[in-house]
Every structure is written in structure tokens, then in C-alpha cells.
């Protein structure tokens, strides 16, 4: 066999392998276009749903803001401090703010004055709080108003100000 013949055979083998790869890619694109992949689901308990265990945590007197936090999470500590500032700076009777931990409650952070409950992984599951910090706002009737992860203290304050817009809070 001479050089030209072996080059032609190697070229045809390469073309066949490339055709197989392209046909596999086309099959995957076809499956994706048919909707084989589900759209991402919403995280957290649906607004309007009853808030599980909220009466046991804060009683039936008024609404609540549940902060799902993790020990060792810097953003969680920032959100906790912002919630403490917001709670201490308000001039109205607002919701009960409560910090929840799946494990042990960490040592008190400086300036954090919110009550905290530890060892409640069941609530993380019930509220579908898959990431921390996660905030669930519960209305006076025990129904979920908002349920979403927050990534900064600014996001938390914006959420609280949106929910309690009609009620004045002092700037701090």
C-alpha cells in the first residue's frame, strides 16, 4: 500500500467518526427541543400556602419573618445583623423575626438580638429552604406571603420594606 492510499483510508475513517459524533449531537439537540429537560422549579414554599409549624414557633398573635441560616455562613451573619437592626429600629408593632438553624445555634454575633431556634432540619425541609440565607414571610393568617433566598443584607431590607411599606421604620 502506498502513501496516497493509506492517507485516503485514514481520511475516510476520520470522516466516519466525525459523522457519528455529529449524529449524536443532533440526537441530543432533538431531545432538548422536544422538552425532555424540565424547566427549573421554584425554590421555597409557595406563597399562599399554610406555613407549617409557625404557630408553634411564634404563636398566633401576628405575622412572622423566618430567617433560615447556617452556622459559618458570612452572608447569613450579615443578614442576621440587618434583621436585628431592622427589628430594633422599627417604630411599629410588626412581625416576629426568628432565626432558624438546621443544627446548633452559633454563638451570638455582635449586635444580633433576634431569638434563634436550633436543631430544626424538619423546618428547612418543610419550607424547601435549600440554600441559606433564606427568608419566609408569614402573614397574620398563617399563610406564606413570600419565600425566597436572599444574597445580601440589602436584599433582606428591600424585602422587609416592600412587605411592610405602609409601616414606618426609622433609618439606622
Amino acid at each position: 500500500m502506498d502513501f496516497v492510499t493509506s492517507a485516503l483510508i485514514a481520511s475516510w475513517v476520520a470522516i466516519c467518526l466525525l459523522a457519528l459524533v455529529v449524529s449524536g449531537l443532533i440526537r441530543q439537540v432533538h431531545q432538548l427541543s422536544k422538552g425532555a429537560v424540565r424547566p427549573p422549579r421554584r425554590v421555597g414554599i409557595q406563597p399562599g400556602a399554610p406555613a407549617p409549624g409557625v404557630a408553634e414557633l411564634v404563636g398566633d398573635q401576628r405575622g412572622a419573618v423566618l430567617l433560615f441560616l447556617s452556622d459559618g455562613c458570612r452572608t447569613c451573619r450579615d443578614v442576621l445583623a440587618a434583621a436585628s437592626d431592622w427589628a430594633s429600629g422599627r417604630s411599629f408593632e410588626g412581625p416576629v423575626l426568628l432565626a432558624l438553624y438546621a443544627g446548633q445555634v452559633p454563638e451570638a454575633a455582635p449586635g444580633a438580638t433576634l431569638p434563634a431556634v436550633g436543631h430544626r432540619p424538619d423546618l428547612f425541609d418543610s419550607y424547601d429552604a435549600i440554600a441559606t440565607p433564606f427568608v419566609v414571610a408569614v402573614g397574620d393568617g398563617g399563610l406564606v406571603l413570600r419565600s425566597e433566598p436572599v444574597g445580601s443584607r440589602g436584599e433582606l431590607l428591600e424585602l422587609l420594606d416592600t412587605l411592610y411599606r405602609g409601616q414606618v421604620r426609622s433609618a439606622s
Side-chain angles (χ1 to χ4, degrees):
M1 201 172 4
D2 64 343
F3 176 75
V4 174
T5 306
S6 57
L8 269 171
I9 291 173
S11 297
W12 278 107
V13 168
I15 290 171
C16 289
L17 288 174
L18 185 60
L20 287 174
V21 169
V22 169
S23 67
L25 289 174
I26 289 173
R27 184 180 62 81
Q28 287 180 349
V29 168
H30 183 66
Q31 283 181 341
L32 288 173
S33 66
K34 285 188 349 185
V37 176
R38 287 181 238 127
R41 69 176 182 86
R42 184 188 183 290
V43 176
I45 194 167
Q46 293 287 3
V54 75
E56 150 197 353
L57 292 170
V58 296
D60 295 326
Q61 72 270 24
R62 60 185 193 268
V65 175
L66 307 176
L67 301 170
F68 292 86
L69 306 170
S70 298
D71 185 20
C73 165
R74 192 170 77 187
T75 306
C76 294
R77 287 191 300 269
D78 291 345
V79 165
L80 180 61
S84 294
D85 292 346
W86 186 86
S88 64
R90 66 182 178 204
S91 60
F92 61 91
E93 186 68 22
V96 174
L97 275 79
L98 183 65
L100 298 168
Y101 293 89
Q104 186 171 342
V105 176
E107 294 292 322
T113 58
L114 295 183
V117 176
H119 303 290
R120 293 304 304 261
D122 58 315
L123 291 176
F124 279 70
D125 292 337
S126 298
Y127 285 94
D128 196 22
I130 62 170
T132 57
F134 195 89
V135 177
V136 176
V138 180
D140 292 343
L143 298 178
V144 174
L145 301 174
R146 298 268 297 264
S147 169
E148 60 196 61
V150 292
S152 67
R153 73 183 286 128
E155 273 187 68
L156 174 71
L157 293 175
E158 183 178 324
L159 182 134
L160 292 172
D161 287 341
T162 300
L163 288 173
Y164 305 102
R165 184 176 306 150
Q167 301 162 331
V168 180
R169 100 175 156 88
S170 64
S172 47

